[in-house]
Amino acid sequence: MKKSLFLYLFIIAVLINVFTYKYFTSKEQSEQKPISEVSSSDTADSKSLTDSITALNNKLFDANAFSLENNDRAQNYLVETNDVKDIPAFTEKVKQALLSYNDDKEGNKYTDQIKMGEQKFIINKVKLLNHRWIIADYSNGQLWGEVLLKYFIDDKGGISFEIINSYLYPASLN
């Protein structure tokens, strides 16, 4: 009985030594793997990520093609005719001037919609397309629409608006 116990302990000790040896030699080989092999697989992943980021940046640039922030000619016009020095501040000023009409109890008159029921139409989103045009999204909580506006800056820096066209989407059928 004592002999078989020592035999089993000896076999277990040998197996532990074999597994330990195998573990440490494979670990050492993976650490000594040339960096170029690792870099080449990382480079492929990095290249695909870079390509994806470039594609997304191109889509973003295309989406913002019609915006005052990306239109150098419109910016130059504003600088020359209205002495606008800070385009982001000017953009915010125009947006706030348009959104201030949302406070009217009949709704924003530049949505080109009359109040329907208790809900008034107000402008939610505004985007300046260039030195003259604005596109805006409006809603009364149930119906949504879009409006194209002209805006003008007078000599005193006041801003006025004119409706070019408006579209109210029909109520969806559920």
Side-chain angles (χ1 to χ4, degrees):
M1 175 90 173
K2 209 176 195 186
K3 269 185 165 180
S4 61
L5 181 64
F6 283 125
L7 179 64
Y8 288 127
L9 288 175
F10 177 74
I11 292 173
I12 291 172
V14 168
L15 287 173
I16 289 175
N17 283 335
V18 168
F19 286 125
T20 305
Y21 173 77
K22 182 70 174 158
Y23 170 77
F24 283 113
T25 55
S26 65
K27 183 179 176 186
E28 184 178 319
Q29 287 174 353
S30 66
E31 287 175 356
Q32 291 178 354
K33 185 188 256 187
I35 295 176
S36 61
E37 290 179 27
V38 174
S39 296
S40 65
S41 66
D42 287 348
T43 304
D45 292 340
S46 176
K47 183 170 175 32
S48 68
L49 287 175
T50 304
D51 291 345
S52 297
I53 291 171
T54 302
L56 287 173
N57 280 336
N58 289 340
K59 284 184 180 182
L60 180 62
F61 181 77
D62 289 344
N64 286 327
F66 292 103
S67 69
L68 180 60
E69 289 82 13
N70 292 330
N71 189 334
D72 291 336
R73 291 183 184 132
Q75 290 178 12
N76 291 339
Y77 176 85
L78 287 171
V79 168
E80 291 171 10
T81 59
N82 299 99
D83 198 33
V84 173
K85 293 182 179 25
D86 187 7
I87 297 297
F90 172 77
T91 301
E92 189 60 30
K93 178 182 175 183
V94 173
K95 285 180 181 180
Q96 291 306 317
L98 183 59
L99 292 174
S100 69
Y101 290 99
N102 285 348
D103 296 335
D104 187 358
K105 66 179 182 171
E106 293 298 315
N108 194 319
K109 64 183 180 182
Y110 293 111
T111 61
D112 200 26
Q113 303 297 326
I114 58 172
K115 185 175 177 181
M116 294 182 186
E118 295 181 19
Q119 298 295 325
K120 62 183 182 178
F121 283 95
I122 61 170
I123 291 180
N124 302 315
K125 295 181 212 164
V126 178
K127 182 172 184 176
L128 276 71
L129 300 177
N130 58 23
H131 65 285
R132 187 61 64 216
W133 297 332
I134 296 173
I135 190 165
D137 170 65
Y138 63 88
S139 146
N140 72 350
Q142 296 173 345
L143 299 170
W144 287 266
E146 294 167 351
V147 63
L148 185 63
L149 301 166
K150 270 187 180 179
Y151 70 97
F152 304 95
I153 301 113
D154 62 21
D155 296 337
K156 297 177 184 175
I159 301 169
S160 60
F161 302 97
E162 177 185 311
I163 298 170
I164 297 174
N165 202 349
S166 176
Y167 183 78
L168 182 63
Y169 291 102
S172 62
L173 301 173
N174 291 332

